[in-house]
Each structure stands twice: as C-alpha cells, then as structure tokens.
Amino acid sequence: MSTTERIESFLADVADWARDEPGVRAAVLIGSQARSDTPADEWSDVDVALVVDDPAPLAWDLAWVRRFGEPEVTFVETSTVGGQPERRVLFSDGLEVDLPLFPVELWHRLLADAEAADALRRGHRVLYDDLGAADAIAALPHVAEPSRREPAELLQDFWYHALWSAKKLRRGEAIAARRCVEGRLKWLLLELARERASGDTWHDERFAESWAEQRVIDAFWLSAASPDELGAVLLGICDVFDAIAADLGLAHPAATAARARLVGLLS
C-alpha cells in the first residue's frame, strides 16, 4: 500500500469511527494534507481535529486509536491551538498522526479566532460532521494577517535580552544564557526579518527558508559548542539584527548604548 493509499484508508476509517461513536461530533482534516499551498510531502504527518463532547476519555484510552493501526509510539501533549489534549501517534507502518480533541463549545469559539480560522481557510476537509462544521467553516470571513509588534518595540526587546544573556553568561549561568540566545533572540531576529520579507510569512518559523534573507538563515545556524563560544554567537546574531534594523531605517539610541554595554560584558 502506498503512502497516499494508507492515508486515505486511515481517513476513511476515522470517518466511519466518528459516525459510530456517540461522543464524536465532527472530524476535520487540517494541516499540510489538506493544503494546496505548502502541501504535504513525504515528511508530513496527518492532522485530524476531533470535536467531541468530552475530550478526557478519548485522550487516555488507546482502544479507539488501535482501530486505525498498531501504535509504535504514542503520547498526549497540549494542542498549540486551544490548549486541549492532543493524542500523537506513530503507527508501526510509519504513519504519523496528530489528533487534537476539542470540546464542542471551544470549537465554536475557535472558529472566531483569527489564527485558527486562517489555518482552516488554508485547507481543510470535513470527514464527518454532526455540527454543521462545513457550513461554519465555509462562512468564515477573511481575516487580514495578524498585526505585528512595532519594530521599535522589537528593538527594545532584543537589546534588553541580549544584555540579559551576556549577564547570565558572565555569572556562569551558561545554560540560561544559551536558551535565551538560541530561543528568544533568534525568534526576535526572525520577527524583524518579516518587516523586509515579501510574500506570505505565515506559520511562525515554518517555511522561513522561503522568505527570509540568507543572512538571517545563516544566523540561525550560529551555535556554540561551549560557554566560551556563546559570546561570539551572541555578537554574531546582534550584528545581523543591527544590519536589518539599519536597512529598515530603525536606528535607535537604545541599540547603540546597549551594544557598547554588551561588548563590555563579553570582553
């Protein structure tokens, strides 16, 4: 059975199961398997949102999951949207599936959420519907791209945490410093880079390689093998951030003072 055939077989089984399961009100394929832009490839999983009366029993009962195949690895995490239990499954034949469980009331509220509505508009396929979900999704209004933080605010945030990282490094808290450098500072760099990007920059850091400048992509690969190297990585990220800010005409007094203090801390 090909991968496409396996996925279609799984989706048909989910539709049949949802139709027979009293507590399940809707099942909707979302994510890359339902999108036409940035569609699924050989590395993609299958995301099916399940709208249910009560998520708890399904979250912790594996009997229903085994109807679709034998789980090799499975666990529950909190869904990115809605903060609900999401059963993640890798079946023994290699099929990878995410099954977020949304209570009915929350599902209706999510349809009014800009991020969730945008994801549904980008692609979905209703597998089972006892709620009028198809009509509700079809009636979703167009929502403009969410507003971004003011670039000047990004500058303040970036330089504050650049200095914070340097102080932690000087104190000997290299793990805390690295987490901030590798996490928050690189994320803020990407946010600033969006200001110069053309096209769709949707989905956080996903697909950033298609719209971010090469210098931004290269900065993400700056990494330290030891605490001694972390200061150089921090300065390298600051260099790229500084250059983009200058290109955007965002020179700010705080940046000049912060950079001088940063160099002092790292010297």
Side-chain angles (χ1 to χ4, degrees):
M1 183 182 296
S2 70
T3 300
T4 300
E5 290 171 334
R6 172 65 174 107
I7 290 172
E8 289 302 319
S9 174
F10 167 75
L11 296 177
D13 288 345
V14 169
D16 291 341
W17 166 79
R19 195 173 294 111
D20 295 337
E21 190 72 23
V24 178
R25 310 295 299 282
V28 182
L29 175 68
I30 55 177
S32 60
Q33 298 291 347
R35 287 199 304 264
S36 56
D37 62 326
T38 58
D41 58 21
E42 61 181 309
W43 313 113
S44 300
D45 59 9
V46 181
D47 301 275
V48 178
L50 299 174
V51 186
V52 299
D53 290 333
D54 182 5
L58 290 174
W60 302 108
D61 177 15
L62 286 181
W64 67 279
V65 176
R66 289 194 171 96
R67 290 188 51 159
F68 312 126
E70 185 58 33
E72 185 171 293
V73 178
T74 182
F75 65 98
V76 172
E77 68 177 18
T78 301
S79 64
T80 303
V81 175
Q84 296 301 301
E86 178 174 318
R87 171 62 66 177
R88 307 197 71 169
V89 188
L90 173 63
F91 290 103
S92 58
D93 62 359
L95 181 67
E96 185 180 348
V97 176
D98 292 350
L99 299 161
L101 300 159
F102 298 111
V104 174
E105 180 184 355
L106 177 61
W107 171 257
H108 289 308
R109 284 190 277 123
L110 284 176
L111 292 179
D113 176 81
E115 182 180 357
D118 187 42
L120 287 167
R121 269 194 308 274
R122 287 173 181 274
H124 70 276
R125 181 168 136 203
V126 177
L127 306 175
Y128 169 71
D129 185 7
D130 188 37
L131 282 176
D135 291 339
I137 295 171
L140 288 172
H142 175 74
V143 178
E145 185 177 351
S147 59
R148 302 169 183 167
R149 292 175 67 188
E150 287 294 327
E153 181 76 8
L154 282 176
L155 262 68
Q156 299 278 354
D157 191 340
F158 180 89
W159 287 109
Y160 176 92
H161 283 94
L163 288 167
W164 185 92
S165 300
K167 291 175 184 176
K168 294 297 181 186
L169 186 59
R170 284 296 300 269
R171 184 187 286 164
E173 295 182 60
I175 293 175
R178 178 166 189 161
R179 182 178 181 183
C180 187
V181 171
E182 295 279 9
R184 190 178 189 97
L185 293 184
K186 288 184 177 180
W187 178 79
L188 289 169
L189 171 61
L190 198 62
E191 286 301 292
L192 189 66
R194 290 181 200 277
E195 299 297 322
R196 284 178 52 82
S198 59
D200 194 352
T201 65
W202 171 74
H203 214 339
D204 297 327
E205 73 281 357
R206 295 284 304 277
F207 317 117
E209 289 84 355
S210 68
W211 56 261
E213 299 172 64
Q214 190 60 47
R215 58 183 172 176
V216 175
I217 296 170
D218 291 343
F220 266 76
W221 291 105
L222 293 174
S223 189
S226 69
D228 291 340
E229 296 179 1
L230 188 59
V233 171
L234 173 54
L235 287 173
I237 294 169
C238 290
D239 287 343
V240 178
F241 189 93
D242 230 0
I244 294 175
D247 289 347
L248 290 168
L250 294 174
H252 195 285
T256 302
R259 188 175 184 86
R261 187 174 300 177
L262 180 68
V263 171
L265 284 167
L266 295 176
S267 60

